[in-house]
Amino acid sequence: MGDRFPGEPCVLCAGVNHGVGEHVWPAWFLGEFTQEGPFTPHKNDVPLVRRDGSAATAPSLQGLHVPMCEACNNALSKFIELPAKAVVRRLLSVTGNSPLPDLSPAEIAGVVPWLLKVGLLMRHPLAQHDEPVMRPHQDSGALAPFYPGWTSWMNQGIAPPADFSVFVSRRSLVREADFDGARQGIVVPHVIVDGVDLRFMTAGFGFRGLDVTIVWHPGWAIEHPLVTAGRAARLWPSVMGPQLSQLPVVHPGEFRFIDAGGPMCASSAQFKAMTVLPLSVDRDPVAAFFGMGT
Ligand SMILES: [Zn+2]
């Protein structure tokens, strides 16, 4: 097999890429959808077309790769894919109105690293779609700086950092109408403390009835309104909210994390003061900071 990423470094250790690199969506995952093709990728509800004007339809769901060396690829298979595979298959077994399956603590611990792997590598600047019309990678976060600390644990066989939260909600399996109810959001600040960018970040993706949101928020707790209301669950760093089978369908337009604009610079003493209260719907951290009069 040829080198798909000639000259590109492994995204985890900067070693030499091996073959096609790492499947962000693993082959066994894409294989679960083979009976549901053909697939046409969409961008903002518009079907994507190839250069000759034909629809970019493919018989199977198309994947996404990042450059990775052989050693890291093997480590991810062992530490992340293997523990998650059976759990993800259970989550994929959902059909129609059937509830999501409840997961044991061990199953949650098995699937969280995989959800982080997919969500983080999807937005890696070196990620490349198998479907050419999806290049360059167009997700909004893709060109943002990528902090190695988000992924450096993945090839080590250790737990993800507790500075991540992983939230899940149930999504309708049928196409939803536009959301016309009350929208809620939490501002995820861009914080620089004593000159160090804390790299607050949010990333999301979904598959078959499950919406996954990842937030990197070191040192600042989050009060998620849907978790409080029993309508979403947190799987990491500790489990909060209802069992997955109890999650109601939530429209993806109802709640979102909002990336703040320009950075807010603070001393560590100021950061300590502003993080006494969690990030929440009712509180704009930037306004709260400037309201401190510092
Ligand atoms: Zn590597």
Side-chain angles (χ1 to χ4, degrees):
M1 195 174 289
D3 185 345
R4 170 138 172 195
F5 295 98
E8 298 282 12
C10 169
V11 296
L12 296 182
C13 77
V16 178
N17 175 63
H18 178 71
V20 298
E22 167 75 1
H23 290 76
V24 175
W25 297 105
W28 59 262
F29 178 88
L30 297 175
E32 293 285 325
F33 295 88
T34 50
Q35 301 305 312
E36 298 174 25
F39 296 91
T40 304
H42 285 62
K43 174 82 177 166
N44 296 332
D45 287 342
V46 179
L48 294 177
V49 294
R50 297 207 171 89
R51 234 172 247 181
D52 64 3
S54 64
T57 300
S60 60
L61 203 55
Q62 298 290 291
L64 183 69
H65 290 76
V66 291
M68 194 169 288
C69 75
E70 190 169 18
C72 289
N73 204 298
N74 290 338
L76 259 57
S77 294
K78 179 178 166 190
F79 297 135
I80 295 188
E81 299 295 335
L82 201 63
K85 197 169 176 176
V87 189
V88 176
R89 286 211 161 117
R90 283 190 66 206
L91 292 171
L92 289 172
S93 67
V94 173
T95 55
N97 292 323
S98 65
L100 290 167
D102 284 337
L103 300 182
S104 68
E107 286 176 312
I108 291 173
V111 80
V112 160
W114 189 86
L115 297 174
L116 286 166
K117 185 209 95 161
V118 171
L120 293 166
L121 294 186
M122 270 177 89
R123 57 173 282 145
H124 197 284
L126 294 177
Q128 191 181 74
H129 277 275
D130 294 351
E131 169 53 63
V133 297
M134 295 291 283
R135 303 175 199 159
H137 189 38
Q138 290 165 323
D139 294 334
S140 56
L143 296 176
F146 196 91
Y147 172 51
W150 294 334
T151 51
S152 57
W153 53 276
M154 289 182 183
N155 59 359
Q156 304 293 312
I158 56 175
D163 294 332
F164 281 118
S165 281
V166 178
F167 299 103
V168 292
S169 60
R170 175 88 199 261
R171 179 157 187 179
S172 172
L173 287 173
V174 297
R175 195 179 164 78
E176 304 104 332
D178 288 343
F179 183 71
D180 56 5
R183 294 169 186 272
Q184 294 184 300
I186 291 180
V187 175
V188 177
H190 180 182
V191 204
I192 296 175
V193 177
D194 288 343
V196 178
D197 191 337
L198 299 187
R199 310 276 191 162
F200 277 50
M201 176 273 289
T202 176
F205 65 99
F207 59 89
R208 200 177 284 167
L210 194 72
D211 270 343
V212 179
T213 306
I214 295 164
V215 189
W216 173 260
H217 55 110
W220 205 333
I222 291 174
E223 191 177 298
H224 193 308
L226 297 184
V227 174
T228 306
R231 304 181 62 230
R234 190 179 79 178
L235 301 184
W236 184 265
S238 59
V239 179
M240 283 179 70
Q243 286 274 7
L244 297 195
S245 67
Q246 303 303 309
L247 289 176
V249 169
V250 171
H251 194 290
E254 182 177 335
F255 173 82
R256 66 193 177 109
F257 286 98
I258 303 155
D259 281 315
M264 142 170 98
C265 296
S267 67
S268 51
Q270 288 170 326
F271 185 65
K272 196 174 171 194
M274 71 178 79
T275 54
V276 167
L277 296 173
L279 296 169
S280 71
V281 168
D282 302 322
R283 203 169 295 115
D284 179 337
V286 179
F289 173 62
F290 288 111
M292 288 166 62
T294 49

